[in-house]
């Protein structure tokens, strides 16, 4: 019997608290010109994929992964609920090669999952946004990666 995934919720709504004041906005602009954001400048890949809710695997949420490549066998991603300027951080993922995964202690492996579903879903949504060669490369590498996830405000397993 086939089942259809329930639509993802519309979003969390406005952030609680007072809106950012003009004074704070100006301070943010000033400090951002003086401060270093080198770790963020290493982000070189944006992949939109779907994550399932841990308590209800029929529900999914779109997750925008902004990733840096630590080396050939490890990716480090910050995950947001959209790609809009006011997107909310919902998680962090470390993606490792199958070889590194196989070297993990058995006790740790339970915290990791395959990326095949997410990468295949991302490949489908990326077809309109990226050249087909890039989509093909992402999809072909899916079988070789595993990931561990630390989510903020969204409990998720895959």
């Amino acid at each position: 019997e086939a089942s259809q995934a329930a639509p993802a919720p519309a979003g969390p709504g406005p952030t609680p608290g007072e809106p950012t004041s003009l004074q704070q906005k100006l301070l943010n602009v000033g400090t951002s010109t003086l401060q270093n954001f080198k770790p963020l400048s290493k982000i070189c890949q944006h992949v939109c994929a779907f994550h399932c809710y841990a308590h209800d695997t029929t529900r999914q949420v779109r997750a925008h992964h902004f990733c840096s490549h630590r080396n050939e066998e490890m990716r480090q991603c910050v995950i947001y609920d959209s790609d809009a300027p006011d997107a909310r951080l919902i998680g962090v993922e470390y993606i490792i090669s199958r070889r590194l995964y196989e070297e993990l202690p058995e006790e740790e492996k339970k915290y990791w999952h395959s990326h095949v579903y997410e990468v295949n879903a991302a490949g489908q949504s990326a077809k309109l946004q990226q050249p087909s060669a890039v989509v093909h490369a992402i999809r072909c590498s899916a079988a070789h990666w595993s990931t561990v996830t630390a989510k903020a405000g969204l409990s998720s397993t895959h």
Side-chain angles (χ1 to χ4, degrees), residues 18-61:
E18 294 294 319
T20 306
S21 67
L22 178 59
Q23 179 181 0
Q24 184 61 53
K25 288 179 183 178
L26 292 172
L27 184 60
N28 292 350
V29 170
T31 57
S32 69
T33 61
L34 300 173
Q35 294 177 350
N36 171 334
F37 294 96
K38 288 181 182 176
L40 299 178
S41 69
K42 295 291 186 184
I43 292 174
C44 61
Q45 185 177 25
H46 173 206
V47 177
C48 181
F50 295 93
H51 285 205
C52 295
Y53 284 84
H55 65 280
D56 182 358
T57 57
T58 64
R59 293 178 59 205
Q60 300 174 342
V61 62

Side-chain angles (χ1 to χ4, degrees), residues 64-133:
H64 290 264
H65 299 63
F66 294 89
C67 305
S68 60
H69 298 188
R70 302 287 300 168
N71 60 42
E72 285 298 314
E73 295 188 81
M74 181 182 288
R75 307 292 187 255
Q76 178 175 274
C77 306
V78 289
I79 306 171
Y80 288 88
D81 62 356
S82 78
D83 61 353
D86 63 345
R88 294 178 189 217
L89 179 67
I90 60 171
V92 174
E93 280 190 341
Y94 291 90
I95 304 171
I96 61 173
S97 68
R98 177 163 304 285
R99 186 186 73 78
L100 291 179
Y101 172 79
E102 294 299 332
E103 293 177 2
L104 293 172
E106 287 301 317
E107 181 63 23
E108 177 148 346
K109 286 181 181 179
K110 67 183 180 183
Y111 299 110
W112 294 75
H113 64 269
S114 168
H115 239 68
V116 173
Y117 172 76
E118 290 176 14
V119 173
N120 284 337
Q124 292 300 318
S125 68
K127 284 182 181 177
L128 299 176
Q129 302 170 19
Q130 298 184 29
S132 61

